[in-house]
């Protein structure tokens, strides 16, 4: 078969969405034949796999690419980079409409226009890798010791600031009992800062060790009351006392082995200054986000159960594109906030407004909803997703503690 026809072109375009071969075939660089120790069983104009005569880069019969990839590794890498980042590459045909035209590539992809875009799952994986690498690169968790000097506030100035704070709280209508609790907490903090300002570095290090030991002791008494001769509190409960201290009771309902393991993990977290917890949560965060994809698709399926012609696969593609958009948006705004700290508030506000507008337009474009219906679904999805995300973050924290 020679030449080309619309049917074979469509088949070739659909089957060309492979793995790295996508980017290599998308490259416009001239490829020259090189000697290879592995000789193809068929002539160059025939498919090496099924012997079908080729009419393009991919066999329209079996889907195998015509490129044997028998070239130096640096040549293949250049082809991959050119296919991804070149002006004719899929990445540039995917990212701009993904960010600026809500639902456009999703609608096109579900309608069959696919070869020109990065595949949804591959797009999400690429974006998530970039997102987590950048976010974790700028985290605030450091080593065991804290360097630097402690600021030295003047005691009269601190007392005057406390009095001013009390007056402002009174003007705001805060009850006296709550103002007294806040004052006690603030005075304790000021006293600690004033005492640390006169300490030598060795004394501050000793103070930190004592604080850590005290904190570990408090957690042990909560988790293992029987070890310290205390009666276990029945039922899991908690609250905040008048000094604004958070208390949790009833943890003794958990098995002793679990509480001992929790105590050991918490000791390690405290000794590392939180670094082990941060590292563990960073390790599990991509997995958590990955499981949010089908959950969000399920939410979309539930809200569209009455519409015929929409399948879970369609909702999953919408979820992949929307989460890729959100990760790219958060990445860009985080970089802006990092470079220009004064713009952090504006970045957060812009992110909230643009993400909700994006979701609204996505419903209008992909699901063909009306204005009111789209707005109602945005509010509903925001509310339900926030609940699921809160539980996911709580689970991430618990897994982080148990794997620290």
């Amino acid at each position: 078969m020679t030449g080309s026809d619309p049917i074979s072109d469509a088949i070739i375009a659909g089957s060309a969405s492979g793995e790295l071969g996508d980017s290599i075939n998308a490259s416009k660089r001239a490829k020259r034949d090189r000697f290879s120790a592995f000789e193809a069983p068929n002539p160059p104009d025939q498919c090496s796999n099924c012997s079908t005569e080729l009419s393009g880069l991919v066999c329209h019969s079996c889907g195998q690419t015509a490129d044997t990839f028998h070239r130096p590794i640096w040549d293949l890498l250049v082809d991959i980079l050119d296919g991804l980042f070149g002006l004719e590459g899929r990445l540039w045909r995917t990212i701009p409409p993904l960010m600026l035209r809500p639902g456009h590539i999703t609608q096109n992809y579900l309608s069959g226009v696919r070869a020109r875009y990065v595949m949804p799952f591959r797009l999400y994986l690429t974006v998530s890798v970039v997102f987590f690498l950048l976010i974790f690169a700028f985290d605030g968790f450091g080593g065991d010791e804290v360097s630097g000097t402690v600021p030295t506030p003047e005691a009269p100035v601190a007392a005057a600031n406390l009095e001013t704070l009390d007056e402002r709280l009174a003007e705001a209508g805060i009850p006296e009992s709550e103002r007294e609790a806040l004052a006690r907490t603030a005075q304790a903090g000021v006293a600690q800062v004033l005492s640390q300002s006169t300490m030598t570095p060795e004394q501050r290090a000793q103070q930190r060790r004592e604080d850590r030991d005290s904190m570990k002791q408090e957690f042990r008494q909560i988790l293992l009351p029987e070890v310290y001769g205390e009666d276990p509190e029945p039922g899991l409960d908690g609250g905040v006392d008048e000094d604004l201290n958070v208390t949790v009771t009833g943890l003794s309902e958990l098995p002793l082995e679990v509480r001992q393991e929790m105590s050991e993990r918490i000791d390690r977290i405290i000794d590392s200054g939180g670094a082990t917890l941060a590292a563990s949560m960073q390790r599990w965060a991509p997995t958590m986000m990955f499981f949010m994809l089908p959950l969000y698709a399920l939410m979309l399926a539930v809200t569209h159960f009455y519409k015929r012609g929409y399948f879970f696969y369609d909702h999953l593609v919408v979820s992949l594109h929307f989460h890729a958009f959100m990760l790219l948006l958060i990445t860009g705004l985080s970089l802006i906030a990092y470079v220009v700290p004064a713009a952090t508030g504006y970045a957060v506000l812009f992110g909230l407004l643009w993400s909700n507008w994006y979701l609204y337009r996505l419903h209008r474009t992909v699901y063909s909803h009306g204005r009111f219906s789209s707005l109602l679904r945005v509010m509903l999805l925001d509310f339900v997703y926030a609940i699921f995300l809160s539980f996911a973050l709580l689970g991430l924290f618990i897994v982080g503690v148990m794997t620290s």
Side-chain angles (χ1 to χ4, degrees):
M1 181 176 64
T2 60
S4 177
D5 60 87
I7 296 178
S8 62
D9 285 344
I11 296 174
I12 293 171
S15 60
S17 53
E19 296 300 327
L20 292 179
D22 287 351
S23 302
I24 294 176
N25 291 333
S27 173
K28 300 302 180 182
R29 298 175 65 248
K31 303 176 179 64
R32 63 187 182 91
D33 295 332
R34 295 175 181 268
F35 171 77
S36 172
F38 301 93
E39 184 178 355
N42 300 322
D45 59 345
Q46 293 183 3
C47 176
S48 301
N49 183 59
C50 65
S51 301
T52 300
E53 191 166 356
L54 296 172
S55 61
L57 295 174
V58 177
C59 176
H60 63 274
S61 178
C62 68
Q64 176 170 291
T65 180
D67 196 336
T68 61
F69 307 118
H70 286 157
R71 300 195 297 281
I73 185 64
W74 55 85
D75 201 351
L76 292 174
L77 289 175
V78 171
D79 278 346
I80 292 174
L81 294 176
D82 182 60
L84 280 175
F85 301 105
L87 293 178
E88 298 297 325
R90 294 184 180 187
L91 196 64
W92 295 115
R93 293 197 297 264
T94 303
I95 298 300
L98 175 72
M99 302 303 296
L100 302 176
R101 301 182 65 184
H104 175 73
I105 65 170
T106 307
Q107 175 72 21
N108 283 353
Y109 188 86
L110 294 177
S111 299
V113 184
R114 301 177 180 178
R116 70 179 62 173
Y117 301 120
V118 179
M119 305 295 281
F121 186 70
R122 198 182 311 170
L123 173 65
Y124 172 79
L125 287 180
T126 304
V127 171
S128 64
V129 168
V130 174
F131 170 79
F132 286 111
L133 283 177
L134 288 177
I135 294 299
F136 294 157
F138 296 107
D139 65 16
F141 293 92
D144 184 70
E145 298 297 329
V146 180
S147 60
T149 60
V150 177
T152 310
E154 297 292 339
V157 174
N161 289 338
L162 290 177
E163 292 180 1
T164 303
L165 175 62
D166 185 71
E167 293 175 358
R168 292 181 178 177
L169 291 176
E171 293 174 357
I174 304 299
E176 184 178 357
S177 58
E178 296 183 13
R179 297 204 310 272
E180 291 177 354
L182 287 170
R184 286 195 296 270
T185 303
Q187 287 172 354
V190 171
Q192 183 178 7
V193 173
L194 290 173
S195 63
Q196 289 182 353
S197 64
T198 60
M199 290 181 179
T200 63
E202 292 78 12
Q203 290 174 328
R204 284 198 293 270
Q206 178 63 27
Q207 181 66 44
R208 283 195 294 270
R209 285 192 292 269
E210 293 176 358
D211 291 341
R212 291 174 182 174
D213 291 340
S214 176
M215 190 181 301
K216 289 190 288 187
Q217 182 72 10
E218 291 178 4
F219 276 106
R220 291 194 194 103
Q221 290 178 346
I222 294 173
L223 292 170
L224 306 169
E226 57 266 53
V227 176
Y228 296 91
E230 299 178 3
D231 295 329
E233 296 285 346
L236 187 61
D237 197 4
V240 182
D241 60 20
E242 61 179 8
D243 291 325
L244 304 180
N245 295 316
V246 179
T247 58
V248 179
T249 59
L251 288 173
S252 56
E253 297 290 329
L254 298 173
L256 178 61
E257 294 79 6
V258 174
R259 289 182 283 125
Q260 287 175 334
E261 182 68 19
M262 289 178 64
S263 178
E264 294 176 1
R265 301 285 183 177
I266 291 174
D267 285 352
R268 284 201 286 269
I269 293 172
I270 295 174
D271 286 335
S272 67
T276 56
L277 176 60
S280 181
M281 292 180 66
Q282 289 176 4
R283 187 168 62 252
W284 286 98
T287 303
M288 181 206 75
M289 283 303 303
F290 182 79
F291 280 106
M292 296 301 291
L293 295 171
L295 180 61
Y296 195 81
L298 181 61
M299 292 167 53
L300 291 170
V302 170
T303 57
H304 295 90
F305 70 94
Y306 62 92
K307 290 183 72 94
R308 299 185 60 184
Y310 290 91
F311 302 93
F312 187 80
Y313 168 80
D314 304 325
H315 302 307
L316 185 59
V317 171
V318 174
S319 178
L320 286 166
H321 280 161
F322 179 66
H323 281 82
F325 158 78
M326 286 298 300
L327 293 182
L328 280 174
L329 179 65
I330 296 173
T331 301
L333 295 179
S334 298
L335 289 175
I336 293 175
Y338 181 81
V339 175
V340 187
T344 301
Y346 295 103
V348 173
L349 178 61
F350 177 82
L352 290 174
L353 293 176
W354 183 248
S355 60
N356 282 281
W357 169 254
Y358 188 97
L359 189 57
Y360 168 81
R361 290 301 307 169
L362 187 145
H363 276 85
R364 295 271 289 157
T365 303
V366 177
Y367 296 106
S368 302
H369 290 307
R371 292 184 177 88
F372 179 75
S373 177
S374 298
L375 182 61
L376 190 63
R377 291 170 189 277
V378 168
M379 292 189 293
L380 177 63
L381 288 172
D382 281 352
F383 177 74
V384 177
Y385 191 69
I387 295 176
F388 283 131
L389 188 60
S390 299
F391 280 105
L393 292 174
L394 177 61
L396 177 64
F397 177 78
I398 294 175
V399 171
V401 171
M402 298 305 296
T403 57
S404 295

